[in-house]
Amino acid sequence: MSDALLDEFRKVVGAAGLVTDPQRTATYLSDWRGLFTGSALAVLRPASTHDVARVMEICTRANVAVVPQGGNTGLAAGATPVGLSRAIVLSLERMHGIRSLDAAGFTIAVDAGCVLAEVQRAAHDAQRLFPLSLAAEGSAQIGGLIATNAGGTAVLRYGSMRALVLGLEAVLPDGRILDGMRSLRKDNAGYDWKQLFIGSEGTLGVITGAVLRLFPRPRARATALVALACLDDAVALFGMVQEALGETLSACELFSERALALQCAHQPGLERPLAAHPWYLLIEAGSSLPGLREALESALATAMEHETIADAVLAETSTQRDALWRWREAITESERREGPSAKHDVSVAISDIPAFVSEASDAVEAAFPGTRVLAFGHLGDGNIHFNVLLAPGGNTASAQITAVVHHIVARFRGSITAEHGIGRYRRDDLVAHRSQVELALMRAIKSAVDPDGAMNPGALI
Ligand code: FAD
Ligand code: MLT
Ligand code: ZN
């Protein structure tokens, strides 16, 4: 990069906001899984929306591409500047303030670089709940979570990020600021443009702030880990607990014995919670009204009588609750420690989950000897992380495995990504799995908002 351009950036973001030292830029240049590594002219860390706007103006004028980055926990490599000769990484990490919290109106306004755990904490301190929850919540930022329309473990009750955003502030590629920081629950004044930015993966502009919905904080929670003989029983149990617990049911998370065993191998100190069974469901409900635990206990007792479940453990304390959740939350990290995998973030109709998992597992393990299917995820959302642990030295099979899995997903009329997004990891798959009309519409939106193609080239579309 020319010294003059660097000086221009420095004038806007200050010395603390400009990183060019390769030792410091390295962490911004590869993805969480370590699959992609890129390069950039510099990493810019602006401290305000106004500074983001000025950076964008400079980039447009100097023909520099922009790759927005939040906590860099994305699982689709959307924030990694791969194959770009003139690009900057624009990190939102210095924009981490909570702008305001309206407890009576159940809203919170935050900067895009605010880490999810901080938003949860601020809500909690105000006797409110911000329900989005996922294992990367200590690092993932609100901007990144919006840009990927993140899901997590409470979508069943509260919806994914799209359902939680009331207002948005974003900077367009040419530097104009779109100020939609409104706390309105009803607003039909024209196109709802903020929806375009939710799930846009940094390809339309830079999200700089958001107004988010808050909820009453449940005073009681009931959490159980249940062992099951087969996936048909898991789906049947989901129906039973939904009926019994109604809208208080907030999580119904699935994992296999293989996932549990993997954790025993990679997370020292974890003690197996139940004797080995093929599948487990982690079920949680929350409410401020009495009788929740009794309702869950009674639903599980009925399921036991019908032989739908094999065994179950209920958390007695919040420490036990945390320990049960750890079995679900630490799977991704254990998988990473185990070695390379082909990840599939698919969704199918909930009642199709048993048939899909069985068919896809048989197909993959037969065609690719030595691979091991690691299926887990958000059963209550029909979202299965159908990850495949690769055989030693089998990295090259990854694309072929994905073709087999996605082919079966298509037959079930499912989606090739339910929550992680397309990024760079699934870009070619998007083209194969969306119709020409849908792709043409996506391209039309992209070129209307980002005519020069400066925003995150190579990601999504
Ligand atoms: P990044 O990784 O930095 O970026 C992700 C994408 O958003 C990129 O395309 C980037 O360009 C864009 N982007 C980032 N910030 C902005 C911005 N301010 N403006 C415009 N574009 C931006 N995801 C789930 O949905 N559910 C889960 O349960 C889940 N569990 C996870 C568990 C682990 C252990 C890990 C490592 C990840 C998990 N993820 C999950 C994936 C990841 O946490 C989410 O995708 C998250 O939303 C990414 O946020 P981030 O701030 O890290 O974004
Ligand atoms: C999770 O739900 O834990 C992550 O989204 C899944 C993954 O690592 O594939
Ligand atoms: Zn997930």
Side-chain angles (χ1 to χ4, degrees):
M1 182 179 331
S2 75
D3 286 350
L5 191 53
L6 268 187
D7 283 345
E8 264 199 278
F9 283 137
R10 196 179 291 108
K11 271 188 202 130
V12 176
V13 297
L18 181 70
V19 187
T20 50
D21 170 3
Q23 283 204 319
R24 285 184 64 209
T25 55
T27 54
Y28 301 86
L29 299 178
S30 53
D31 71 313
W32 189 85
R33 298 181 62 199
L35 288 185
F36 293 80
T37 299
S39 59
L41 302 173
V43 175
L44 267 65
R45 303 162 65 239
S48 70
T49 302
H50 187 63
D51 289 354
V52 173
R54 289 171 65 202
V55 167
M56 299 303 283
E57 276 167 22
I58 297 172
C59 289
T60 299
R61 201 175 353 100
N63 198 21
V64 171
V66 177
V67 178
Q69 191 173 98
N72 203 13
T73 68
L75 296 174
T80 314
V82 180
L84 305 173
S85 55
R86 272 173 80 75
I88 57 151
V89 169
L90 194 142
S91 165
L92 278 289
E93 65 196 349
R94 285 172 79 208
M95 293 174 59
H96 52 72
I98 289 181
R99 298 189 189 176
S100 62
L101 188 151
D102 175 359
F106 286 81
T107 61
I108 186 168
V110 300
D111 288 339
C114 203
V115 167
L116 173 55
E118 289 299 323
V119 178
Q120 293 168 341
R121 200 166 301 132
H124 186 272
D125 291 349
Q127 307 301 318
R128 297 289 177 259
L129 172 77
F130 184 63
L132 195 88
S133 177
L134 42 83
E137 64 199 24
S139 311
Q141 299 175 4
I142 292 303
L145 293 155
I146 294 175
T148 55
N149 185 25
T153 53
V155 172
L156 179 58
R157 178 167 178 185
Y158 299 100
S160 49
M161 201 56 178
R162 190 179 296 285
L164 304 174
V165 178
L166 291 176
L168 202 73
E169 180 189 85
V171 177
L172 290 171
D174 61 10
R176 283 178 297 159
I177 297 171
L178 271 166
D179 180 0
M181 288 291 279
R182 291 179 279 262
S183 309
L184 307 177
R185 295 185 186 248
K186 298 182 83 173
D187 180 2
N188 272 352
Y191 295 136
D192 189 0
W193 58 260
K194 71 174 178 299
Q195 300 299 342
L196 283 180
F197 284 80
I198 304 172
S200 62
E201 301 187 50
T203 61
L204 298 180
V206 183
I207 296 163
T208 49
V211 182
L212 306 170
R213 287 178 74 184
L214 299 179
F215 293 81
R217 183 147 66 90
R219 277 187 229 118
R221 286 187 204 275
T223 311
L225 183 65
V226 179
L228 301 132
C230 64
L231 279 176
D232 285 319
D233 287 347
V235 172
L237 181 65
F238 173 58
M240 291 168 89
V241 289
Q242 260 208 320
E243 256 181 71
L245 299 165
E247 65 288 346
T248 65
L249 184 67
S250 55
C252 190
E253 296 286 310
L254 174 81
F255 53 93
S256 60
E257 171 58 25
R258 181 169 283 154
L260 200 146
L262 200 68
Q263 312 227 56
C264 293
H266 291 290
Q267 312 278 342
L270 280 184
E271 267 185 44
R272 173 178 267 289
L274 289 167
H277 289 86
W279 295 97
Y280 304 91
L281 271 189
L282 184 58
I283 295 167
E284 185 163 276
S287 173
S288 297
L289 301 174
L292 189 65
R293 189 188 162 88
E294 293 73 16
L296 178 58
E297 262 171 351
S298 142
L300 295 181
T302 310
M304 195 84 86
E305 273 164 35
H306 288 92
E307 296 184 359
T308 309
I309 64 179
D311 202 357
V313 56
L314 263 97
E316 301 289 343
T317 61
S318 64
T319 313
Q320 284 178 6
R321 171 189 180 245
D322 293 349
L324 290 185
W325 268 106
R326 187 141 178 76
W327 287 105
R328 168 62 186 88
E329 296 280 13
I331 299 174
T332 303
E333 180 56 42
S334 304
E335 180 191 315
R336 182 165 74 161
R337 291 183 194 174
E338 180 73 1
S341 59
K343 270 186 182 292
H344 309 100
D345 166 41
V346 313
S347 57
V348 294
I350 294 169
S351 47
D352 283 339
I353 289 175
F356 165 74
V357 172
S358 154
E359 208 175 302
S361 303
D362 288 351
V364 166
E365 292 184 349
F368 305 96
T371 57
R372 290 166 294 154
V373 168
L374 187 73
F376 63 97
H378 317 283
L379 179 126
D381 311 327
N383 177 193
I384 300 298
H385 298 303
F386 190 85
N387 298 343
V388 180
L389 302 169
L390 301 181
N395 241 334
T396 46
S398 184
Q400 290 105 293
I401 294 171
T402 295
V404 169
V405 174
H406 285 175
H407 179 71
I408 298 172
V409 169
R411 273 207 296 98
F412 280 90
R413 292 194 65 81
S415 172
I416 59 162
T417 174
E419 56 174 17
H420 297 162
I422 296 296
R424 292 178 170 78
Y425 187 57
R426 302 190 175 86
R427 199 190 50 191
D428 298 341
D429 297 321
L430 178 73
V431 178
H433 290 270
R434 283 294 188 247
S435 68
Q436 287 307 315
V437 181
E438 287 170 295
L439 291 169
L441 185 61
M442 288 187 210
R443 289 192 183 108
I445 292 168
K446 167 78 176 165
S447 57
V449 183
D450 178 26
D452 299 333
M455 291 304 308
N456 210 358
L460 206 163
I461 194 133

